[in-house]
Amino acid sequence: MTNDTNNADIQLSGPFKAKDANGREYEIEAIRIFDEGYGIIDVYVDFSSAVEAGLYRDNTLVGHIVARLRSLGYVGPDFSHSDPGLQERKCIVLEAPEQFCTFAKRHGWKNLAEEFDGDH
């Protein structure tokens, strides 16, 4: 795990390759998350070059990304895709399930919602 220079990102994985359902291989530069949030974590997958629109819906590719995270210690269900409006040309955004929070905390992620738990 490394933190980005602006200290707003936590890099969970460095470069690796993953394939989509059609067998096309993609160079992934990094998997990262923001260093804090309110429970649901968006996972950013940065590609070395632009990818076609809708790639975030490819279950095979998402499965390879989740497998990479599992090889790094994530234990939990697969991810779903995040809001289509968040998708970019060289980055897809996935929505992690609640179980991902435990893994993210081990890498320095802060759950801002926990700050309010003691107020009730």
Side-chain angles (χ1 to χ4, degrees), residues 71-92:
S71 76
L72 299 170
Y74 166 63
V75 177
D78 289 345
F79 293 11
S80 59
H81 61 78
S82 191
D83 184 341
L86 294 175
Q87 310 304 321
E88 298 179 14
R89 292 185 53 217
K90 291 178 68 175
C91 177
I92 64 171

Side-chain angles (χ1 to χ4, degrees), residues 45-119:
V45 181
D46 297 316
F47 291 80
S48 61
S49 59
V51 297
E52 65 270 7
L55 186 63
Y56 64 94
R57 286 183 249 143
D58 188 291
N59 291 331
T60 301
L61 179 70
V62 172
H64 285 254
I65 294 165
V66 173
R68 174 67 173 206
L69 291 168
R70 286 186 176 124
S71 76
L72 299 170
Y74 166 63
V75 177
D78 289 345
F79 293 11
S80 59
H81 61 78
S82 191
D83 184 341
L86 294 175
Q87 310 304 321
E88 298 179 14
R89 292 185 53 217
K90 291 178 68 175
C91 177
I92 64 171
V93 184
L94 304 173
E95 186 174 288
E98 186 176 329
Q99 293 87 337
F100 186 75
C101 293
T102 302
F103 174 75
K105 284 180 184 179
R106 288 196 310 262
H107 292 280
W109 178 75
K110 181 179 179 183
N111 186 351
L112 298 175
E114 289 178 349
E115 293 179 10
F116 300 105
D117 286 346
D119 293 344

Side-chain angles (χ1 to χ4, degrees), residues 3-10 32-36:
N3 283 347
D4 193 47
T5 55
N6 66 9
N7 291 328
D9 288 349
I10 297 171
R32 61 187 169 83
I33 58 176
F34 288 127
D35 64 350
E36 57 187 24

Side-chain angles (χ1 to χ4, degrees), residues 14-19 25-28 61 64-65 68:
F16 68 102
K17 296 178 183 184
K19 291 185 179 182
E25 189 171 76
Y26 297 90
E27 297 275 341
I28 295 175
L61 179 70
H64 285 254
I65 294 165
R68 174 67 173 206

